[in-house]
Amino acid sequence: MTTGSAESVQQRIREFLEERIKTNIVVDKDLFASGLVNSMFAMELVVHLEQEFGVAIVGEDLKLDNFRTVERMTSLVCRLRDAPVTDHA
Amino acid sequence: MSEAASAPLGVLGAGVMGTGIAALAIGHGIPVVLVDVSEDRLADARRRVDAQLRHARLMGSVPARDAAGLTTAVELAAVAGATAVIEAVTEDAEIKAKVLEEASSLFAVGTPIISNTSGIPIGELGRFVSRPDELLGIHFMNPAYLITMVEVIRSARTSDETMAAVTGLLARMGRRGIVVRDAPGFVTSRLLHPMINEAARIVGAGVATAESVDDLMRGCLGHPTGPLRTADLIGLDNLVDALSTLWERTGEESFRPCELLREKVAAGHLGRKSGKGFYDYEKVLS
Ligand SMILES: NC(=O)c1ccc[n+]([C@@H]2O[C@H](COP(=O)([O-])OP(=O)(O)OC[C@H]3O[C@@H](n4cnc5c(N)ncnc54)[C@H](O)[C@@H]3O)[C@@H](O)[C@H]2O)c1
C-alpha cells in the first residue's frame, strides 16, 4: 500500500461525506459525537464503503468505532483491501 | 445450537416494522417465522432483515452471537406452534381484523397475540380473536432493533398471564416496556402523529422548509431528527393510514391527514422506503 493510494481513499471518502453532509469535514473529527451523522446514515456509510472499494466489512470490523472519523474509515478500507481474502463464515 | 430448539416467534407482515422486529428477535437468538402476502415481498424482506441485523450489530444493539434462524412463508398456518405472534400488517382495521381472526384460530391456548398497531384500540381488535384475554398491543418504535423502549398496551380484557408471558419475551429481546391503557393512539402516536401532521401543514403553507422545521425542532427543542425526517422513516403511507384511523375514531381535526401528506403518498413519495419523501435519500444525509 503506497501513501498515494491511502490518500486517494481518504479523499474519496471525504468527498462522499462532504457531498452528503454539505459541510467541510476534518479527517479526525468524530462524525457521530458531533451530530454530523446519525445512526441511520451509519449503515449507508458501511454499504457505500463496501461498494466503492470492493471490501466486505463483517464480524469484528462491523462496529461503529471504525466509522467515527474519515481517518478510521480510511485505515479500515486500506487494511481490508490489502488483506488476503479470508473466509468470514 | 440450543436456540434452534426454542419455539419461534411468529411475525405477520414483512414491511418496515415486521422486518425490523424480525431482525431484533433473531439478533437476540429467537428464531422467527415471517409471513407476508407474496414471495416477492418475502424475498425483499429477507434482504432487509439481513441488512437490519448488520445495522444492529454495527450499533452494538444486539448481542455478539450467532443469529437465530429466519423462516419466511406466505401461509399464515406457518406460524402455528409459535411461542407468540406479533401482527405488523398494514394499518387498516379491516386487514388487521382478518389476519387476527385467522391467526387466533391457529394457536394453542396460552399463545399471546401481539398487535403492533400505531393506534387502533386493542379492545376493538379483540373482537376478532377467539381469546381477547391473550391479545395486547406492543408498539415497537422504528427501527425496532435500535430503540430499546416499547409502549405496551393492555386492554380491559388482557389477562395477567398474557402480561407475564409478554414481559418475559420483551426481556429476552432486551426491550423495556411502559404499560399504558387502551385509547386511540395510546400515548406515543397520540402525541407524535398530530405533531408530524402539523409540521407537514407548516411546509405545505410555505411557512418554512422541511429542513428548517427539522433544524428548529432539533436545535431548539432537542428532537433527535426532527418530525419530518421521522415521518420519512415511518413511511408517509403508514402515517396517513394511522392518522386516518385516529381521525375516524376520535373526530379530532389534528388527526385529519393534511393535504401535503396525502399528495406525497399519491405521488408514490413514501419516505425512506421509496427513496424520497420530504427528503431525497439519494442526495441528502438520512
Ligand atoms: N412504520 C413505523 O414507523 C411504525 C412504527 C410503529 C408501528 N407501526 C405499525 O406497524 C404496522 C406495520 O407498519 P409498517 O410501517 O411495517 O407497514 P408496511 O406497509 O411497511 O408493511 C405492512 C406489510 O403488511 C403486509 N400485509 C398486508 N396484508 C397482509 C396479510 N393479510 N397477511 C400478511 N401480511 C400482510 C404488506 O404486504 C406489507 O408488507 C402498522 O400497524 C403500523 O401502523 C409502524
Side-chain angles (χ1 to χ4, degrees):
Chain A
M1 166 77 28
T2 66
T3 330
S5 61
E7 260 166 21
S8 85
V9 168
Q10 185 174 90
Q11 179 68 13
R12 278 157 75 187
I13 295 175
R14 203 169 91 183
E15 276 168 10
F16 168 74
L17 281 165
E18 289 186 338
E19 194 190 314
R20 295 292 294 268
I21 305 178
K22 312 226 183 311
T23 312
N24 291 340
I25 290 172
V26 185
V27 294
D28 62 352
K29 188 180 182 78
D30 186 329
L31 301 167
F32 292 90
S34 61
L36 279 175
V37 307
N38 62 26
S39 60
M40 294 310 291
F41 184 64
M43 194 61 214
E44 273 178 56
L45 198 50
V46 172
V47 173
H48 173 78
L49 295 179
E50 290 186 326
Q51 288 170 353
E52 179 82 9
F53 300 104
V55 295
I57 304 169
V58 295
E60 287 285 290
D61 289 329
L62 192 62
K63 56 167 190 258
L64 200 58
D65 269 347
N66 281 337
F67 303 88
R68 288 196 178 280
T69 67
V70 172
E71 277 177 349
R72 288 198 197 172
M73 288 184 250
T74 305
S75 57
L76 176 71
V77 166
C78 291
R79 174 163 63 74
L80 292 175
R81 236 179 26 171
D82 292 348
V85 179
T86 52
D87 186 0
H88 289 287
Chain B
M1 282 207 318
S2 61
E3 290 93 22
S6 81
L9 176 70
V11 178
L12 311 179
V16 170
M17 292 309 292
T19 56
I21 294 166
L24 168 70
I26 64 174
H28 282 83
I30 302 170
V32 167
V33 179
L34 182 61
V35 176
D36 208 303
V37 291
S38 75
E39 282 298 344
D40 280 359
R41 282 212 66 96
L42 288 171
D44 184 44
R46 284 191 294 271
R47 276 192 298 277
R48 283 183 296 125
V49 172
D50 276 352
Q52 294 183 92
L53 187 57
R54 292 189 77 203
H55 190 196
R57 293 216 162 106
L58 173 71
M59 303 308 295
S61 62
V62 290
R65 61 192 281 182
D66 286 343
L70 173 72
T71 314
T72 56
V74 285
E75 313 84 30
L76 250 177
V79 295
T83 159
V85 66
I86 300 178
E87 168 282 299
V89 301
T90 314
E91 185 80 347
D92 173 314
E94 272 178 37
I95 296 177
K96 288 199 189 285
K98 197 171 138 277
V99 167
L100 288 169
E101 190 164 21
E102 191 180 340
S104 99
S105 70
L106 294 167
F107 295 122
V109 173
T111 310
I113 302 185
I114 298 159
S115 175
N116 186 51
T117 175
S118 297
I120 301 171
I122 303 304
E124 177 183 330
L125 296 173
R127 296 206 304 269
F128 305 99
V129 296
S130 35
R131 292 179 299 278
D133 55 310
E134 291 178 356
L135 178 73
L136 84 165
I138 299 186
H139 189 193
F140 287 88
M141 301 292 128
N142 178 8
Y145 52 89
L146 289 187
I147 301 184
T148 52
M149 185 169 279
V150 297
E151 185 176 28
V152 177
I153 303 97
R154 179 171 193 167
S155 85
R157 300 181 69 177
T158 311
S159 70
D160 289 343
E161 291 74 18
T162 303
M163 292 303 290
V166 159
T167 304
L169 176 66
L170 287 175
R172 283 173 71 197
M173 297 194 289
R175 302 298 97 169
R176 191 156 86 82
I178 301 276
V179 182
V180 302
R181 283 163 73 177
D182 205 12
F186 323 123
V187 173
T188 54
S189 301
R190 187 159 157 187
L191 292 171
L192 177 67
H193 285 51
M195 193 227 266
I196 293 175
N197 204 20
E198 198 59 34
R201 272 198 196 102
I202 288 171
V203 174
V207 175
T209 61
E211 287 86 350
S212 297
V213 170
D214 281 350
D215 284 350
L216 282 164
M217 292 302 285
R218 290 168 62 188
C220 296
L221 298 176
H223 194 281
T225 61
L228 297 170
R229 275 206 166 79
T230 302
D232 277 355
L233 177 66
I234 291 173
L236 303 186
D237 51 345
N238 174 250
L239 199 59
V240 167
D241 287 348
L243 281 164
S244 303
T245 62
L246 294 174
W247 182 41
E248 284 157 16
R249 282 161 183 77
T250 63
E252 296 273 354
E253 267 308 295
S254 61
F255 291 130
R256 190 216 288 257
C258 78
E259 209 173 305
L260 182 59
L261 282 176
R262 285 188 282 114
E263 276 169 20
K264 285 194 181 291
V265 172
H269 298 158
L270 307 181
R272 288 178 61 98
K273 65 180 165 189
S274 72
K276 192 171 176 184
F278 284 95
Y279 295 89
D280 182 341
Y281 291 89
E282 298 296 307
K283 296 206 185 98
V284 303
L285 195 63
S286 312

